[in-house]
Amino acid sequence: MFIIKSMIKKNKIIMQKAIELAKLGEGKVSPNPQVGAILIKNNKIIGQGYHKKCGLNHAEIEAIKDAINRGNKNRIAGSSLYVNLEPCSHYGNTPPCVDEIIKRKIKKVIIALKDPNKKVNGGGIKKLRKNNIKVELGLMKKEALILNKYFLKYIKTGKPYVIWKGGMSLDGKITNSNKKYITNKKSLEYVHKIRSSVDAILVGINTIINDNPELNVRLKSSKNKIIPVILDPNLKINLKSRVLRKKAIIIVKKNLKSNKIKKLEKIGVKFLELDVVNKKFNLKKLLKKLGKLKIISLLVEGGQATSTEFINQKLVDEIYLFISLEMFGQGELLILGKLDKIIMLKDIEVEKFGNNILVRGYTCG
């Protein structure tokens, strides 16, 4: 019994290391998943790697190459491979990883999570077993699910994973005439960490007009060039707005005529048209359109109206709410009017940033 427990503990430690390696690809591999891989022989790591960028080698190939570079080429045969997602069995930007695993005579593959992509979805596991490679599935499955929550939702639904971020005072206000920012510097720095993990950030036109934000990522360590998405049905945006740059997306009402469109298209701005019903966009259709552009994660940072609509239309997967421990007594409330339904959160985490509190959790459907 002690030996079994010791083996389980060892396997978890190795898989956790593979997951930590995978995290190095955060904000860089979209629309691909984050994957890390480790090769073990005689209880020692002989090679490791992770998927660094869409179009480059997958983690399994990086681990094999690392083993070769370390002088362990002859030790790969008979080794065990730990990977947080099922190795691919199809041709994409790169050849199938399972073919290389078979070729290198790896004897065992420990996988945290089956890949739900219909091009894989158990096909990699099936091919490995067909070639007499032992496969174990499910080690640290929960951690693997959380790691690739963006990818998993996108693959299953064709829509991006939606994070809503808000900041408010203790009495629920999101504006104050005496303060530019509701939350403190540490909270604002954390917001840029969130931004660095996603593909796009969405706001309404009122936020652009009132604040003139850049909607970028201000972290030296991040190379993620986040895509701004702006809800602007009547194209009120000022052509000198700081947010306007190549790959920015503006959502306008169908059949809108404006002389701004051609000017903005010249600098690389993309337009998406949506029906406006009762002065509101159908945000479900918007998410489908963004998914077709291979945007798999979206951060909603809109003001009162935008926040209310995303929450009311039940489109939010995860919430980050920063609370400043101050009473403003004036300003706009976080939510406009009444919500259609009480929103419950699960797996709640609470963190303190000086005089700010962050409440984070997943929505319950």
Side-chain angles (χ1 to χ4, degrees), residues 20 25 31 35 47 55 57 84 100 129 131 153 178 180 193 212 254 266 273 310 312 321 334:
E20 292 303 316
V35 185
N57 288 331
N84 60 284
E100 191 67 18
R129 285 174 172 162
N131 284 272
K153 182 189 175 183
N178 299 316
K180 182 178 180 181
K193 288 184 180 180
N212 194 21
K254 276 192 174 180
K266 281 183 180 179
E273 292 187 343
F310 265 90
N312 260 337
L321 180 59
L334 179 68

Side-chain angles (χ1 to χ4, degrees), residues 12 15-16 18-20 22-23 33-36 83-86 110-116 137-153 156 362:
K12 283 186 175 181
M15 185 62 79
Q16 182 61 49
I19 288 172
E20 292 303 316
K23 288 179 182 177
Q34 299 173 64
V35 185
V83 62
N84 60 284
L85 191 69
E86 177 183 4
I110 298 93
I111 302 166
L113 188 67
K114 187 167 76 169
D115 190 341
L137 178 65
L139 180 67
M140 299 191 72
K141 181 180 177 180
K142 182 178 179 180
E143 291 83 352
L145 284 166
I146 293 170
L147 173 70
N148 275 310
K149 57 192 176 186
Y150 301 168
F151 169 77
L152 294 169
K153 182 189 175 183
K156 291 174 182 178
Y362 300 96

Side-chain angles (χ1 to χ4, degrees), residues 318-341:
E318 188 173 358
I319 284 176
Y320 286 77
L321 180 59
F322 293 86
I323 304 169
S324 174
L325 301 181
E326 301 169 290
M327 303 282 278
F328 287 175
Q330 59 166 302
E332 290 185 351
L333 287 169
L334 179 68
I335 297 298
L336 182 65
K338 295 180 180 179
L339 290 178
D340 294 339
K341 184 182 177 182

Side-chain angles (χ1 to χ4, degrees), residues 179-358:
K179 295 188 71 172
K180 182 178 180 181
Y181 298 112
I182 300 299
T183 52
N184 63 26
K185 186 178 178 181
K186 287 183 179 179
S187 294
L188 292 171
E189 287 173 355
Y190 192 86
V191 167
H192 283 274
K193 288 184 180 180
I194 304 169
R195 286 185 180 184
S196 71
S197 76
V198 300
D199 294 333
I201 178 171
L202 181 145
V203 298
I205 185 58
N206 289 337
T207 296
I208 301 299
I209 292 171
N210 295 333
D211 301 337
N212 194 21
E214 286 188 67
L215 298 183
N216 58 3
V217 180
R218 293 193 288 275
L219 292 177
K220 290 181 180 179
S221 60
S222 176
K223 295 181 180 179
N224 183 13
K225 295 181 179 179
I226 196 167
I227 299 170
V229 179
I230 305 148
L231 301 178
D232 188 6
N234 297 302
L235 202 56
K236 293 180 180 179
I237 196 164
N238 188 309
L239 294 177
K240 293 183 179 180
S241 295
R242 297 167 69 192
V243 73
L244 294 175
R245 57 181 178 266
K246 188 178 180 181
K247 294 189 177 181
I249 299 171
I250 300 179
I251 317 303
V252 296
K253 66 182 181 182
K254 276 192 174 180
N255 304 316
L256 177 73
K257 305 295 181 185
S258 172
N259 58 11
K260 292 181 183 178
I261 292 175
K262 286 187 178 180
K263 292 177 182 178
L264 290 169
E265 286 178 335
K266 281 183 180 179
I267 63 172
V269 173
K270 186 177 182 66
F271 287 88
L272 294 179
E273 292 187 343
L274 276 180
D275 288 319
V276 174
V277 180
N278 297 325
K279 298 183 180 181
K280 298 175 183 177
F281 282 127
N282 184 324
L283 298 176
K284 289 181 182 178
K285 287 186 177 179
L286 171 59
L287 294 182
K288 277 287 186 184
K289 284 178 178 283
L290 294 178
K292 287 178 180 178
L293 296 175
K294 294 188 176 180
I295 291 173
I296 74 168
S297 53
L298 178 70
L299 175 63
V300 176
E301 280 196 12
Q304 188 185 64
T306 303
S307 297
T308 303
E309 280 311 302
F310 265 90
I311 291 171
N312 260 337
Q313 292 187 35
K314 300 175 182 64
L315 302 177
V316 176
D317 298 292
E318 188 173 358
I319 284 176
Y320 286 77
L321 180 59
F322 293 86
I323 304 169
S324 174
L325 301 181
E326 301 169 290
M327 303 282 278
F328 287 175
Q330 59 166 302
E332 290 185 351
L333 287 169
L334 179 68
I335 297 298
L336 182 65
K338 295 180 180 179
L339 290 178
D340 294 339
K341 184 182 177 182
I342 293 173
I343 304 298
M344 296 292 293
L345 296 184
K346 61 182 179 182
D347 297 334
I348 296 169
E349 294 179 9
V350 178
E351 195 169 348
K352 190 176 178 183
F353 297 98
N355 68 336
N356 286 183
I357 293 172
L358 167 62

Side-chain angles (χ1 to χ4, degrees), residues 21-22 24-30 32-35 48-59 62:
L21 278 171
L24 296 175
E26 184 180 69
K28 302 167 189 172
V29 300
S30 180
N32 285 357
Q34 299 173 64
V35 185
Q48 61 184 24
Y50 69 97
H51 184 39
K52 297 176 181 176
K53 189 178 179 181
C54 182
L56 299 183
N57 288 331
H58 289 186
E62 285 291 319

